[in-house]
Amino acid sequence: MKLEHFRFETDADGIATLTWDSPNRSMNVITVQVMDELEKAVAHVAATDAIKGCVITSGKETFSGGADLAMLQGLGAEYQKRAKADGPEQAMSFFFDASRRLSQIYRELETCGKPFAAAVHGTCLGGAFELALSCQFRVVSDDEKTRVGLPEIKVGLFPGAGGTQRVARMMPTGDALQMLFRGDQIKPAQAKGMGLVHAVVARDALIQTAKDWLKANPAAKQPWDTEGYRLPSNKVHSAPGMMIWPPANAIYRRETQDNYPAAKAVLAAVYEGLQLPIDQGLRVESRYFAKILRSPQAAHMIRSLFLSKGELEKGARRPAGAPANSFKTVGVIGAGFMGAGIAYVTALAGMKVVLLDRDMAAAEKGKAHSHKIVSDQIAKGRAKSADRDVLLERITPTADYNDLKGCDLIVEAVFEDRAVKAEVIRNVQAVIGKDVIFASNTSTLPITSLAENFARPKQFIGIHFFSPVDKMLLVEVILGKKTGDKALAAALDYVRAIRKTPIVVNDTRGFFANRCVLNYLSEGHRMLIEGVPAAMIENAGKMAGMPVGPLSLTDEVAIDLAWKITQATLKDLGPQAVEPALVDLLDELVVKLERFGRKNKKGFYDYQPGQPKRLWPGLKDLQKVHLDPDAIDVEELKQRLLVCQALEAAKTVEEKVIVDVREADVGSILGFGFAPWSGGTLSYIDGMGAQAFVALCKKLAAKHGPRFKPNRLLVDMAKKGETFYGRFNPYKKAA
Ligand code: NAD
């Protein structure tokens, strides 16, 4: 048997080992060729009398991340092509067959008459874990790195190669639904507890354990193929079976707001599939899978959250030919809220950090933040005290600029004050080497003007983190007018080293993310002023797909910060720049009532210890009008909350603040949680079409004011029927 992606050998006992080791790839991925070869190998095992059973394992450091999502996305393009050429019916028939092929191969493996065992080390996710699930025996290594799971839901898909059917036949339905909804990567011991794997052993005992089991169980069958099999939660239409569905539907609604068709398909596939024998259940799953794979939500989520995100992380915006940078020591100036977080993520990535503040006590306090983060992890069993020692060892607190000598990169996070920053920049410059890049974490001051304080403005750049630094995945890299390629490459290499996702943004007020998200906050404030009940505003935000409502988010960011930004805008751009009613609302909350948000436990919400936060009842008194809730168009509230952000993103493209559309999409989801179902701010517009979006903007502008007026770029795109990914095709530029 000739195979390229697998090695195949049979031992003296007739136990075969199929070792997956795709050439020229660091990780095994399921492609069409892999499917072809797997099918061939299964047929060979089935047809060869001398083979008693087969172990499937990986020849790489990790098992496999699952199916090639680009291949799945390609199927959608193929469908479109065929639909045009042969009509939708034939195209759909092709699509259905192609999208269920993996499911059929796995079922063939499971029923071919010979037992299979999966021996797993490292990550085994998605389609790869579905392969393991179709094996009669699953053993995983007890290694730190080993994880199993079905994370498809995170990119708008669901497990379509038997995952929904097998998992729901292995464990109580409620647990199965939870696992499928969450898409978590599960550690070995927990996987065993859930019944997803049979054994956890040392890595070097994996193959032997699998072989021993196969030898002892030559006629093994899956439970659902065995006579007398009963569903773990009994029949769907039994009394205990039916208990599950009302709460399951409610949880689905609460968690998704009905924005994610894939999650609904999981519910349907499990509900319908469990009422059928497994073969028909798998067919039902395949039907839903084909439907979801063709949904715009899946296409846009795969594009932004998997493909584009990966491309940006691997350096899609890195200047070609710039030599790679590796950083041994990073100087972090300012050990406050942000600086302390930056020091932590830098040390976590293995770099040394010189953490400088005005005095030793402040610098030590910044270092203590890292101590606290790791101690919390230790308390949860996620880290060992040795990890904390190693990490803390890397951070040197100081108040002496001379300690910055020898740093390869500087990241500044001192007070947001021009004069303070200017002085710090001069002090740093006096001690660092000539080639060192200086990065500022400013959130509002233009990089171009800060760079004027630095003798080598080509080496000056913005690296804008989001808070909390250890949790937020996005970093904005800001180019000043004079920033050079070397600085950009260095910033991107650093962001990569700390394992975050970068977007590159040209210098402008608010950069990209804050510019968009501030509109979300203000639109919520406007609704309050108009007389919309606060709870309705918050719910509209969540229903639109935002992680939290605009009032809640203002509390998290801090209302006094919103007030400060508004004051700065008024000062810089004049009194017309912000509507008086918005200024008055923030004045009232911040100046008069001292309601600053979560930070002083008083904001749009009240925060009582040990109790869930509650909307502050006094908000009603701040409203001069109270609209009748039944007369309010909730759909329009949702539209306003998303359109104000998407329109701002479109403006950043027109102004060339954003030059790669992938960055607006990825940045909006990772930076401020913009409705992930849409694939991001620009995909939201592409999803409905520029024409429909412009019409919606015009309707909203007529009713609510010129802030919704579509910009020139959008009007032009609507006229020409263009999309962002068509007009600004990021791949064309790269080619
Ligand atoms: P912070 O007040 O918590 O910390 C600032 C630190 O800088 C303090 O520890 C202070 O002692 C130190 N400092 C002040 N002057 C100094 C000097 N001359 N030399 C050395 N250290 C000095 O502020 P923060 O929230 O961490 O913000 C820091 C920077 O990060 C600001 O530019 C801010 O705009 C930016 N930023 C903040 C956020 C956020 O959410 N807070 C997000 C992104 C960016």
Side-chain angles (χ1 to χ4, degrees):
M1 191 174 37
K2 201 172 154 287
L3 303 171
E4 268 183 36
H5 293 268
F6 297 88
R7 292 191 294 277
F8 188 85
E9 60 224 343
T10 310
D11 69 11
D13 297 322
I15 304 294
T17 303
L18 185 64
T19 306
W20 187 3
D21 196 355
S22 291
N24 309 322
R25 273 193 186 262
S26 57
M27 201 195 232
N28 292 321
V29 178
I30 301 166
T31 59
V32 173
Q33 292 78 16
V34 167
M35 286 197 267
D36 289 345
E37 293 190 7
L38 189 60
E39 193 170 27
K40 207 154 120 184
V42 169
H44 180 75
V45 170
T48 311
D49 284 346
I51 299 178
K52 306 294 174 215
C54 180
V55 181
I56 303 183
T57 193
S58 161
K60 303 210 184 286
E61 254 315 291
T62 192
F63 193 85
S64 160
D68 179 359
L69 287 178
M71 167 187 80
L72 290 181
Q73 230 201 8
L75 274 182
E78 182 65 24
Y79 167 85
Q80 299 296 349
K81 224 163 74 191
R82 289 185 187 228
K84 264 196 199 136
D86 310 326
E89 221 165 284
Q90 280 203 33
M92 195 57 214
S93 154
F94 151 81
F95 191 83
F96 180 61
D97 289 342
S99 61
R100 72 187 294 229
R101 178 150 181 241
L102 196 58
S103 180
Q104 287 177 311
I105 297 172
Y106 290 172
R107 183 63 182 150
E108 189 56 39
L109 178 154
E110 187 174 59
T111 56
C112 75
K114 303 275 174 70
F116 278 78
V120 172
H121 168 73
T123 44
C124 176
L125 302 173
F129 189 52
E130 290 178 291
L131 167 63
L133 290 174
S134 66
C135 295
Q136 286 84 0
F137 182 69
R138 295 170 290 283
V139 54
V140 300
S141 73
D142 58 5
D143 196 272
E144 257 304 297
K145 294 199 190 96
T146 296
R147 294 280 187 286
V148 300
L150 299 170
E152 289 89 337
I153 200 84
K154 298 201 164 148
V155 288
L157 286 176
F158 73 95
T164 67
Q165 300 305 301
R166 293 193 178 91
V167 166
R169 282 168 173 77
M170 279 175 189
M171 61 180 79
T173 312
D175 297 348
L177 287 173
Q178 201 176 33
M179 176 191 163
L180 296 164
F181 277 164
R182 291 164 60 133
D184 285 343
Q185 300 192 10
I186 303 164
K187 290 184 180 178
Q190 197 193 350
K192 181 148 188 285
M194 292 165 80
L196 288 169
V197 305
H198 300 94
V200 181
V201 302
R203 183 181 181 183
D204 57 10
L206 274 179
I207 304 287
Q208 199 52 49
T209 309
K211 284 187 170 183
D212 290 347
W213 189 89
L214 289 171
K215 272 188 270 176
N217 297 277
K221 281 185 177 170
Q222 293 276 35
W224 41 90
D225 289 321
T226 310
E227 211 159 314
Y229 166 75
R230 279 170 184 275
L231 291 170
S233 295
N234 214 324
K235 287 187 177 163
V236 170
H237 287 283
S238 64
M242 263 336 259
M243 299 280 284
I244 290 140
W245 297 99
N249 274 301
I251 292 167
Y252 157 78
R253 284 260 160 197
R254 186 190 66 198
E255 297 299 317
T256 69
Q257 306 287 336
D258 215 16
N259 284 323
Y260 296 87
K264 197 177 201 166
V266 165
L267 270 187
V270 172
Y271 176 73
E272 292 170 35
L274 287 185
Q275 297 176 55
L276 297 164
I278 181 111
D279 284 297
Q280 278 82 354
L282 289 171
R283 205 178 161 81
V284 165
E285 180 194 79
S286 295
R287 287 262 171 236
Y288 282 111
F289 186 66
K291 185 172 156 207
I292 294 305
L293 195 51
R294 286 194 45 232
S295 68
Q297 289 90 340
H300 291 165
M301 285 177 80
I302 291 174
R303 180 168 69 191
S304 295
L305 289 170
F306 182 76
L307 301 173
S308 301
K309 178 172 173 287
E311 287 155 9
L312 295 175
E313 284 164 359
K314 285 187 195 123
R317 291 297 309 283
R318 205 176 177 282
N325 300 276
S326 68
F327 305 102
K328 283 204 187 74
T329 312
V330 176
V332 177
I333 322 295
F337 181 59
M338 296 302 283
I342 297 167
Y344 168 73
V345 295
T346 308
L348 186 68
M351 289 169 263
K352 286 193 173 151
V353 177
V354 177
L355 181 57
L356 185 145
D357 208 298
R358 289 178 295 184
D359 52 54
M360 201 57 189
E364 291 277 9
K365 191 170 164 231
K367 178 170 173 174
H369 177 68
S370 288
H371 187 283
K372 179 169 187 316
I373 295 182
V374 194
S375 300
D376 289 350
Q377 289 168 353
I378 295 171
K380 288 180 191 146
R382 292 197 197 134
K384 301 191 183 78
S385 50
D387 302 332
R388 185 175 55 198
D389 297 344
V390 171
L391 188 121
L392 291 177
E393 178 71 37
R394 294 190 189 125
I395 304 175
T396 310
T398 185
D400 181 357
Y401 278 83
N402 282 312
D403 288 341
L404 297 173
K405 280 183 189 149
C407 284
D408 320 289
L409 173 74
I410 300 292
V411 184
E412 167 277 310
V414 298
F415 293 146
E416 189 73 342
D417 180 300
R418 252 175 219 286
V420 175
K421 293 215 193 262
E423 192 201 323
V424 165
I425 293 168
R426 280 193 295 271
N427 289 344
V428 171
Q429 185 172 273
V431 292
I432 56 170
K434 273 216 313 281
D435 294 333
V436 177
I437 305 295
F438 189 108
S440 173
N441 179 47
T442 178
S443 32
T444 55
L445 302 171
I447 292 299
T448 306
S449 66
L450 284 180
E452 286 165 9
N453 301 296
F454 198 64
R456 298 175 289 277
K458 265 183 156 177
Q459 287 163 228
F460 198 97
I461 196 162
I463 299 187
H464 182 224
F465 285 85
F466 293 81
S467 80
V469 178
D470 58 311
K471 299 243 166 59
M472 296 297 286
L473 302 171
L474 187 76
V475 172
E476 283 179 318
V477 172
I478 319 294
L479 298 177
K481 280 226 167 61
K482 295 192 177 156
T483 304
D485 277 359
K486 229 180 114 202
L488 173 58
L492 291 176
D493 291 348
Y494 168 68
V495 174
R496 186 172 190 171
I498 56 171
R499 292 186 280 276
K500 299 214 181 266
T501 310
I503 63 169
V504 181
V505 180
N506 284 320
D507 207 4
T508 180
R509 178 180 286 272
F511 309 135
F512 171 73
N514 286 349
R515 217 176 124 165
C516 297
V517 79
L518 279 176
N519 278 3
Y520 177 61
L521 305 186
S522 323
E523 201 56 31
H525 303 171
R526 281 191 193 93
M527 289 173 180
L528 195 72
I529 294 163
E530 285 164 26
V532 179
M536 208 161 172
I537 301 170
E538 295 293 84
N539 284 337
K542 284 190 268 179
M543 286 162 79
M546 296 298 292
V548 291
L551 306 180
S552 183
L553 190 56
T554 314
D555 271 6
E556 297 301 327
V557 172
I559 310 182
D560 60 327
L561 182 63
W563 179 85
K564 271 188 209 149
I565 294 172
T566 307
Q567 292 301 319
T569 310
L570 289 172
K571 195 167 145 233
D572 292 353
L573 304 180
Q576 274 82 355
V578 192
E579 294 128 74
L582 285 177
V583 180
D584 291 348
L585 175 70
L586 293 177
D587 269 345
E588 178 92 13
L589 285 165
V590 174
V591 183
K592 206 162 139 200
L593 300 163
E594 294 185 347
R595 300 192 74 89
F596 301 153
R598 185 189 277 278
K599 69 186 201 191
N600 77 339
K601 305 199 167 35
K602 290 190 302 184
F604 287 106
Y605 287 77
D606 274 332
Y607 302 81
Q608 303 285 351
Q611 282 179 32
K613 66 180 184 183
R614 276 171 205 283
L615 277 162
W616 176 48
L619 285 178
K620 245 184 151 175
D621 305 326
L622 291 188
Q623 292 178 297
K624 296 199 178 81
V625 218
H626 297 106
L627 297 178
D628 169 11
D630 289 332
I632 297 171
D633 180 352
V634 178
E635 211 43 50
E636 192 185 275
L637 295 182
K638 286 163 61 182
Q639 287 168 342
R640 283 171 63 183
L641 290 170
L642 295 187
V643 169
C644 66
Q645 301 179 71
L647 182 55
E648 196 65 31
K651 288 180 186 169
T652 64
V653 176
E654 180 172 318
E655 294 164 22
K656 299 196 170 41
V657 168
I658 286 284
V659 296
D660 185 321
V661 289
R662 289 174 292 186
E663 296 181 311
D665 273 346
V666 173
S668 59
I669 301 179
L670 299 190
F672 50 99
F674 183 85
W677 61 262
S678 67
T681 38
L682 299 182
S683 285
Y684 171 71
I685 300 176
D686 276 2
M688 74 171 81
Q691 226 167 5
F693 185 77
V694 164
L696 180 56
C697 286
K698 286 185 176 161
K699 189 187 96 181
L700 293 175
K703 197 162 163 198
H704 297 285
R707 66 181 179 281
F708 284 110
K709 194 169 159 263
N711 60 338
R712 274 223 312 275
L713 170 66
L714 275 172
V715 173
D716 189 52
M717 285 173 57
K719 217 173 358 178
K720 296 178 181 154
E722 288 176 331
T723 61
F724 278 100
Y725 282 79
R727 180 163 171 150
F728 302 99
N729 183 346
Y731 302 104
K732 216 165 160 188
K733 196 174 52 196

